[in-house]
Amino acid sequence: MEYLPDSNARYKDVDYWNERYRTEESFEWFGDFTKFEHLLKQHVGTEENILMLGCGNSALSYDMYQAGYTSITNVDYSSVCVESMAERHKDCAQLSWLCMDARQLAFSDGAFDVVLEKGTLDAMLVEESDPWKVSENAARLLHQVLLEVSRVLKPGGRFISVTFAQPHFRKRLYARAEYDWSIKHHHYGSSFHYFLYVLTKGEELSPEDAALERRLQEEAEAPPTDVSFQEADSEDFLNNIGL
């Protein structure tokens, strides 16, 4: 594969993405819109104001536009990506493109009905080797992003997260009362399942998810144990992490 980096760490490097986006026209993580359109329609209205977080060169926003979604703001931290996608879709007035860091979104509180990400958070976790225990740096990064996602959502708004991460791994990152959302999930795919999480702002965590948060807090406060994990670093990070 032409665009595979020499190490997983490069998936977190904006220079890698800028270089890749200069020549790669489009790439879809976890299948195209048609694979999960039936699920998205249950949770996202066509007239709602949508933020696409880490849009990349995916055709998802354009496919949603073609399906009748009328307001999609796309952000990515690669300036090359944003400029290319803005030029490619310059005739689509309902699609806007901005260069922005997901850790510091330049939007007011409650600006969006929906925040949607597909593979963006997975790319932030490429160097993780133990799906049960995310490193301190990765946890801090994800926390910054999720706080921003929660902040820009309206009450009743939904964070839609599309990933290959199974619930027993991904809920460990999402189940925090301070994000002020509930967690539900669906799956799609036949031979290999992908997951679509729906986190609704202003709803409480389920008793099960609240208990998970308490247990994780207790584990974090417990004395450390001397356990080490071998780093996995193959060319395809999707085969190495289960987050």
Side-chain angles (χ1 to χ4, degrees):
M1 294 176 65
E2 181 180 357
Y3 297 101
L4 286 176
D6 53 12
S7 71
N8 287 344
R10 292 216 67 203
Y11 283 112
K12 297 171 70 175
D13 183 355
V14 69
D15 291 334
Y16 163 76
W17 291 109
N18 281 335
E19 179 182 347
R20 176 169 174 167
Y21 290 140
R22 286 188 179 96
T23 55
E24 183 184 64
E25 183 171 342
S26 182
F27 187 83
E28 294 296 339
W29 304 102
F30 318 138
D32 62 26
F33 178 51
T34 62
K35 300 297 190 298
F36 56 90
E37 180 179 6
H38 62 293
L39 297 175
L40 206 63
K41 284 182 174 179
Q42 298 175 29
H43 300 284
V44 183
T46 55
E47 302 296 322
E48 292 190 298
N49 194 17
I50 301 166
L51 174 64
M52 190 72 67
L53 193 71
C55 60
N57 58 12
S58 166
L60 178 58
S61 291
Y62 181 71
D63 290 343
M64 291 177 64
Y65 165 77
Q66 292 286 84
Y69 291 87
T70 58
S71 177
I72 305 177
T73 300
N74 300 272
V75 300
D76 200 282
Y77 77 157
S78 166
S79 59
V80 173
C81 169
V82 169
E83 291 167 8
S84 173
M85 295 296 280
E87 175 62 24
R88 185 181 307 170
H89 302 296
K90 60 185 177 182
D91 296 328
C92 304
Q94 293 91 338
L95 303 180
S96 61
W97 309 86
L98 299 168
C99 187
M100 199 173 297
D101 189 329
R103 296 170 297 181
Q104 193 171 6
L105 297 173
F107 303 111
S108 60
D109 295 358
F112 295 95
D113 300 295
V114 175
V115 177
L116 174 57
E117 71 89 17
K118 182 161 77 84
T120 300
L121 301 187
D122 295 290
M124 295 178 181
L125 296 167
V126 292
E127 295 183 282
E128 299 305 299
S129 58
D130 177 16
W132 294 105
K133 187 173 178 59
V134 173
S135 69
E136 184 177 336
N137 286 341
R140 185 183 305 112
L141 170 61
L142 265 293
H143 183 52
Q144 290 175 311
V145 172
L146 294 174
L147 281 175
E148 281 294 271
V149 169
S150 178
R151 181 183 66 79
V152 301
L153 278 174
K154 296 177 181 178
R158 281 127 285 136
F159 176 37
I160 309 294
S161 177
V162 181
T163 174
F164 60 86
Q166 297 169 320
H168 50 274
F169 294 133
R170 188 47 60 92
K171 279 190 174 188
R172 298 169 69 88
L173 302 175
Y174 291 162
R176 294 182 67 157
E178 64 183 304
Y179 298 148
D180 189 25
W181 57 36
S182 61
I183 307 171
K184 296 179 181 178
H185 71 275
H186 308 272
H187 68 266
Y188 66 95
S190 53
S191 58
F192 188 90
H193 282 169
Y194 300 109
F195 296 87
L196 186 147
Y197 293 85
V198 181
L199 301 97
T200 303
K201 179 77 177 287
E203 292 185 355
E204 294 183 354
L205 291 171
S206 68
E208 176 188 0
D209 292 334
L212 171 62
E213 180 185 22
R214 289 193 298 272
R215 179 166 60 80
L216 293 175
Q217 288 174 337
E218 292 170 358
E219 291 176 1
E221 295 167 358
T225 56
D226 186 17
V227 178
S228 60
F229 297 92
Q230 172 133 8
E231 290 283 340
D233 193 25
S234 122
E235 289 184 320
D236 187 355
F237 80 88
L238 297 180
N239 292 327
N240 289 328
I241 60 175
L243 301 161

